[in-house]
Amino acid sequence: MNQKTGLLLYIAIAAFIGIVIFPFLWILLASLKAPLYLYGEYAFSIKVPEYTLQNYISVFTNHPFGRYLLNSFTVGVLTMFLSISIAAFASYAVARLYFFGKTFFLGILLAVSMLPQIATLSPLFLFMQSIGLRNTYAGLVIPYTTYALPIAIWYMTTFFKQIPVELEEAAKVDGASLLGIFGRVLLPLVSPGLFTTAIIVFVDAWHEFLFALTINTKQSMMTVPVGIAMFQGEFTFPWGEISAATVTVTVPVVLLVLLFQRRIIAGLTSGAVKQ
Amino acid sequence: MPLKKKSKWKEGRAAYAMILPAVLIIAAVALWPLLRSFWISLFDLRLGDPTRNAIHYSYSMNVEQYADRFPGLLRAVKREAGNAGGGALSVLSAVEKKLDEVGGGLEDDRAFQERLTKVNGLLDAFSPVPQELRFIPVDNAKAERLKAELQEIRKELAGLKAAGSLERPDEVIGLTNAVLDTFQAPNFVGLSHYKDLMSGRRLWESLGNTMLFTVFAVALEMLLGLLIALLMNRTFRGRGLVRAAVLIPWATPTAVSAMIWHYLYDGQNGIVAKLLYEAGLISDMGTLLSSGSRVMGSVIMADVWKTAPFVALLLLAGLQNIPASLYEAAWVDGGGRWKQFLHVTVPLLKPAFFVALMFRTLDAFRVFDLIYVLTGGGPANSTESISIYAYKTMFSELDFGKGSALSVIVFVCVLLISMVYVKWLGADVVGRRAS
């Protein structure tokens, strides 16, 4: 690579990174400015007379933001455990066992992953309403798990397939049962894959908006994305608080993602192409 | 070999047991609601209206209201008859007789009779009538016959009112209407929601907005994603950092990134609005979120920012699957960079590219969060996507019948798009993804 193209490459990459992370840096800056300097002549300056953590305090004291975080976290973790345990069995069957109708099962999974969620919203809403599951964690965990299953089964099927068949055959020769092979031989081996899938399922649940917006409308049961969307007043936007809330929800997920980026990228790109 | 057959059968049974929980939950929470959406869309179901907030397959009667109103109507008619003379009297006696027939027709039914006695008992004791006692189904033909008779009575009473021969005309006519209201009609409307939607403008406008968004956002995302992927596929220092940066927009909830862009686009304090204004690209800082034609551009830009890096990641994986030996072979054959790209990269990246394209198109077509938070579909519905329209119909207007029809339309569009793609890509690409 000659020097000129090398320089151009770095400029292009720097521009790209700049565009990608600029909104975050700007919102981080906004969250640290004293509210007064978010408007008027200081609105566009990086240097303002006063920086403060007041916005962060206010997010937790003037809004039930801690509660939103707790709700999102609980729903995310429950969805994660439920869908991973259901998907682990199903993906083992898909990867390793022969059964009639496998293609049909995979076709249904593909169809569900393409299904627009709004097409199932009205019956689910009416159902949750009639059995009193609105404004509960179960009201969100049930649909989230359903929509997470296709992705989880795909990813984990790929991971199961990567394990050499010889290991199972050796265990079979040793007299292990099917369930024994699954539990004692395969599960420990796919645990990295399990972990990756779990993170992706958690992130998807953490992001979900439509069901959260419609099923859990009580403020004490709202999740973070809905809570932040509800920060706006009818005519005013408390930008200081909104940006502090945005930073607070983004940082943990970004840290999680950066920590496990290799695995997540491998997971995202090995299975289906699904956001 | 019987032994092998037996073990295969056992394996199949074990497999079914293992997929069973997934099958059950998907059938119950995804497939059944999908069918149910279509079913609901055939009814006039409005959550805000107590007479239409549930699906009624056939006529029913509100026994509580009937017990309350029917005797009152009878008494009022008798009183009018007592004060009337001549022609009016004979009409009123006929009305009275007809009313007796209506009441008799209903109370002939033993179940109705028993329920009425029970409800009357509760009402006499001033205790509330529980919901499950309130309604009782009535045979459709009978309900229609009785309703027609009541309407006939109303007509005759109106005639008397016009002739001035009633003492308190509004009371008797009002009570007749009240008795008519105790009949709850079935709210099956067939395909009329679809007919209404198709003949209205809002559906087509929202479909147009959705397609505009989908075409531009997906085209830009695929193009930019490809460029970024090609950049990242080169070896350079700090590549890990770039791959990490790419994940950040993916890790941000769409609703939250919409909030961030709302701030950046803000007409008074938005830095992006300010920069575009100073670059002379917009005439007024406020236009990014308020002028009809520009707002869709703002929405698309925010979506591209969030999704192009993710597309890049997927395409990068495709690029890295191309064996380096192929490039070397092309180089040995005297192919330059461009030739290598055209003859090695393009054909080998094609499957990954098309699969990403298909999933992005389907995702973009059902866009909801971004628009809901950034513009709410405004200004003046200029950014209203079909999903936003369906949501508003259901949860602002509480019209679940029409809203379900809209959501079925979203589903049908997504189905058509995926069918076109599958046909175009060939089933093998999708099939390979699924297995």
Side-chain angles (χ1 to χ4, degrees), chain B residues 125-139:
Chain B
F126 296 104
S127 38
V129 180
Q131 181 69 35
E132 66 270 16
L133 285 184
R134 227 171 262 168
F135 286 96
I136 191 163
V138 177
D139 176 62

Side-chain angles (χ1 to χ4, degrees), chain B residues 332-395:
Chain B
V332 169
D333 286 349
R337 269 258 161 73
W338 177 243
K339 272 215 166 129
Q340 284 180 14
F341 176 74
L342 223 57
H343 295 294
V344 180
T345 313
V346 170
L348 286 172
L349 189 61
K350 229 162 138 185
F353 185 87
F354 280 140
V355 170
L357 177 68
M358 175 169 96
F359 277 92
R360 275 309 307 147
T361 310
L362 295 178
D363 248 9
F365 194 84
R366 53 197 181 194
V367 58
F368 179 79
D369 319 9
L370 179 67
I371 294 179
Y372 180 86
V373 176
L374 193 54
T375 68
N381 293 347
S382 65
T383 56
E384 185 176 81
S385 73
I386 179 95
S387 297
I388 296 270
Y389 183 22
Y391 166 82
K392 281 186 183 165
T393 308
M394 282 190 260
F395 292 94

Side-chain angles (χ1 to χ4, degrees), chain B residues 414-435:
Chain B
V414 165
L415 189 70
L416 288 176
I417 294 173
S418 49
M419 271 159 62
V420 167
Y421 269 113
V422 169
K423 195 153 179 134
W424 184 39
L425 300 178
D428 57 303
V429 175
V430 178
R432 214 176 59 210
R433 277 287 144 186
S435 57

Side-chain angles (χ1 to χ4, degrees), chain A residues 63-80:
Chain A
H63 299 270
F65 194 67
R67 180 80 204 186
Y68 300 157
L69 282 171
L70 176 75
N71 293 341
S72 270
F73 184 77
T74 313
V75 169
V77 168
L78 290 175
T79 303
M80 189 171 91

